[in-house]
Amino acid sequence: MRLTTKGRYAVTAMLDLSLNYGVGAITLADISERQGISLSYLEQLFARLRKQGLVSSSRGPGGGYRLSRSAAQITVLDVISAVDEKVDSTQCEGRHNCHGDEQCLSHELWQSLSDQIRVYLAGISLAEVVSNYEKNRQPSKEKVIRFDVG
């Protein structure tokens, strides 16, 4: 399984929002600047995140995005799934046709790995990732917080 840029950026952007939960709406331009993610890419990701109910948006002055519920209630798997990222280590994407039209010898091994990855990601909330980050980061004079997921 390889997490693509789409999944990594979605998690990073949601972590940025998590740091600001309860502060108010955050603009995509602010996230773009802090995390080094293109604004147009963020717009695409947030359309999916909003459609899946993970973020809400408001327009006008003071508008932007916020988490639709607390960071403790949103898992990393929720975010990855919302942007159509697959958590699948099998070559056949779970269709059991890895070797021609039949299942390959190692299919169950890769399927089990995929299942374990899903369980792991479903067990980690955004709040936990932020907490671990804050606990382990080195003090800095910079005010910009940048996440490097993966």
Side-chain angles (χ1 to χ4, degrees):
M1 182 209 106
R2 183 162 185 225
L3 192 59
T4 67
T5 302
K6 178 172 52 174
R8 290 176 189 275
Y9 282 178
V11 169
T12 298
M14 291 292 283
L15 290 170
D16 192 292
L17 281 183
S18 298
L19 281 171
N20 297 293
Y21 183 72
V23 173
I26 306 299
T27 67
L28 294 183
D30 288 342
I31 296 171
S32 174
E33 184 178 320
R34 284 191 295 263
Q35 304 307 328
I37 303 170
S38 109
L39 183 57
S40 62
Y41 203 81
L42 284 172
E43 288 168 349
Q44 294 172 35
L45 292 175
F46 272 76
R48 291 178 181 195
L49 293 166
R50 191 180 58 166
K51 185 177 181 183
Q52 295 300 315
L54 296 180
V55 297
S56 59
S57 63
S58 55
R59 296 180 186 259
Y65 287 88
R66 53 176 60 88
L67 298 178
S68 61
R69 53 189 186 267
S70 79
Q73 296 173 315
I74 299 173
T75 69
V76 173
L77 185 62
D78 292 335
V79 176
I80 291 170
S81 298
V83 295
D84 298 326
E85 192 77 331
K86 304 288 184 231
V87 181
D88 186 4
S89 299
T90 64
Q91 192 173 25
C92 64
E93 297 179 352
R95 292 186 302 262
H96 304 277
N97 63 352
C98 351
H99 190 63
D101 282 338
E102 297 190 19
Q103 183 173 304
C104 69
L105 290 172
S106 58
H107 178 85
E108 292 304 319
L109 169 69
W110 305 124
Q111 185 63 55
S112 179
L113 176 61
S114 298
D115 294 343
Q116 291 296 317
I117 292 169
R118 272 191 287 281
V119 167
Y120 176 74
L121 295 176
I124 302 173
S125 71
L126 296 178
E128 290 173 280
V129 176
V130 168
S131 175
N132 287 335
Y133 172 80
E134 289 176 333
K135 197 177 346 176
N136 295 317
R137 77 179 185 149
Q138 299 296 322
S140 172
K141 294 178 183 176
E142 267 187 54
K143 292 194 179 205
V144 174
I145 296 176
R146 185 176 178 131
F147 290 98
D148 188 14
V149 180

